Amino acid sequence: MTRAPLACRPPRIALTGATGYVGGAFLRHLSGMASPWPVTALVRQPPPRRLPFVTYVPGEIPGRLPVGFPPPRTDVLIHLANENRSRDQDVLHAVNVAGTRALLGAAPASLKGVLLGSSMSVYGRGAQIKVAETAPVRPSTALGRARLGAEREVAASMRRRGGTAYLLRPRFITGRDDTSFLPGIGRLRRLPLRVPADRTRFSVIDVDDYGSVIAQLARRVLERAACGTPVRTAVNVAYRRPVALRDLFDLLAASPGPGPVPVRWLPAAPVRALSSVLPGQGASRLAERLDLVTRSHWADVGLLEGEIGTALTAKSPEAVVRSYRAYEPEQENS
């Protein structure tokens, strides 16, 4: 096949995590295309509403990976299925690391690249100020270590094959159906903690914009294959400008106006320190969550902009979050 047709034709996609938060956003993005790309999706069970451009294959990583997935002629594997709820390191390794290894081992020779849904958690705990992909990776949790293990599996596999690996590292993924980040900020706003809200900043990305990033990078895989310029790299995924915690407090205040901010009288640092040494999983989980939402976590996205341009990353994170207000239940606006 000549280089020009390879760069111009639609990529043939194999997808895991199709029914998840990010996988669903990626498929919504394809649905908006005039001619959606062909996708073969590995799912525990097909969804009630099937998309016409998606072939659903029953299976599960790592235990029920069916023969023939990823299918022959696949160009790009988008691997978004992972275990992120368990705190058992053996379970996390089995799904995220060994499962990824098995998936890559089954990939056809046609594979030109892999996009892996990872996380900024691989950089470790503590404040992160405009962290770049070249920063040291020091994951401090079992989940972070499992994510890093999966990244290394993908990078090594693509190095052997001469293909491209994009290891996607968002920090906070939000959206209208966000059940984690914004609700967590809302709970923090109501706690009696003294937080440097003007100086604490976060990298965020709307889930539908993340779906667009994935599609653009999948296209880049074919372009790089056509030019003979594959890369294996981590990619921070976020808007260029971080959002301040203070602005999130104001945006999440009760309608119609910002209203008074609760008094925060207990410094966050000693609460983090105390919860990190107390016994029990509850205290450990609290320490992890406080580390996330009371310290800055924002990333440099220059590498992402070099791959897809600046139109998406230039969005205002405050404007994106503010847009969710239109979808709140009416009684909350009364």
Side-chain angles (χ1 to χ4, degrees):
M1 180 175 292
T2 62
R3 288 182 174 184
L6 176 62
C8 296
R9 68 169 172 78
R12 294 179 286 254
I13 304 293
L15 173 66
T16 70
T19 58
Y21 188 44
V22 177
F26 170 66
L27 291 179
R28 284 195 298 274
H29 180 85
L30 296 191
S31 295
M33 294 180 172
S35 299
W37 303 339
V39 175
T40 302
L42 181 72
V43 293
R44 287 192 179 96
Q45 56 183 17
R49 183 180 171 218
R50 304 189 186 194
L51 295 169
F53 58 90
V54 180
T55 300
Y56 297 93
V57 177
E60 189 173 358
I61 298 170
R64 294 192 299 123
L65 186 62
V67 175
F69 186 90
R73 303 176 68 212
T74 294
D75 294 311
V76 184
L77 169 62
I78 300 175
H79 184 25
L80 304 176
N82 59 69
E83 173 57 59
N84 57 22
R85 297 182 183 276
S86 175
R87 300 182 71 81
D88 185 322
Q89 63 181 2
D90 292 334
V91 172
L92 292 168
H93 185 277
V95 177
N96 298 340
V97 183
T100 297
R101 186 185 307 131
L103 186 63
L104 294 166
S110 61
L111 190 68
K112 297 168 184 64
V114 178
L115 276 65
L116 174 72
S118 187
S119 165
M120 278 179 63
S121 64
V122 300
Y123 296 122
R125 287 189 181 180
Q128 295 154 0
I129 309 298
K130 207 172 183 182
V131 64
E133 293 85 354
T134 54
V137 286
R138 301 188 182 99
S140 56
T141 65
L143 175 57
R145 290 187 289 273
R147 289 192 188 280
L148 181 58
E151 286 191 6
R152 288 172 171 167
E153 292 289 339
V154 171
S157 175
M158 289 299 98
R159 192 174 295 111
R160 290 191 298 269
R161 289 172 174 260
T164 287
Y166 290 123
L167 314 171
L168 308 179
R169 293 178 179 171
R171 176 65 281 182
F172 297 111
I173 306 169
T174 186
R176 295 199 303 269
D177 299 321
D178 180 5
T179 61
S180 179
F181 175 59
L182 288 180
I185 295 298
R187 289 190 292 271
L188 176 66
R189 186 179 182 276
R190 296 188 291 273
L191 289 176
L193 292 177
R194 187 161 63 246
V195 180
D198 291 324
R199 298 192 302 273
T200 303
R201 300 176 186 276
F202 304 128
S203 277
V204 300
I205 188 77
D206 177 86
V207 69
D208 285 306
D209 284 338
Y210 191 14
S212 174
V213 166
I214 291 170
Q216 291 180 70
L217 289 177
R219 166 60 70 189
R220 286 289 290 153
V221 168
L222 285 198
E223 291 172 352
R224 286 190 168 278
C227 296
T229 58
V231 295
R232 273 75 62 181
T233 182
V235 182
N236 293 330
V237 179
Y239 301 123
R240 180 190 308 156
R241 185 170 55 78
V243 60
L245 179 59
R246 171 66 63 187
D247 292 332
L248 289 175
F249 281 166
D250 291 344
L251 287 165
L252 296 177
S255 298
V261 176
V263 175
R264 273 163 273 281
W265 55 267
L266 186 63
V271 177
R272 286 196 306 262
L274 178 62
S275 57
S276 67
V277 298
L278 288 175
Q281 288 191 356
S284 175
R285 191 168 299 168
L286 175 61
E288 292 173 13
R289 289 176 178 173
L290 285 177
D291 184 78
L292 280 178
V293 297
T294 63
R295 286 175 162 160
S296 289
H297 293 274
W298 62 284
D300 184 295
V301 296
L303 195 155
L304 175 65
E305 292 178 334
E307 294 293 316
I308 69 168
T310 62
L312 188 149
T313 58
K315 285 187 177 182
S316 161
E318 296 87 358
V320 169
V321 172
R322 191 177 296 114
S323 72
Y324 305 148
R325 277 301 175 110
Y327 297 91
E328 289 181 346
E330 189 158 336
Q331 60 266 26
E332 292 185 15
N333 291 322
S334 58

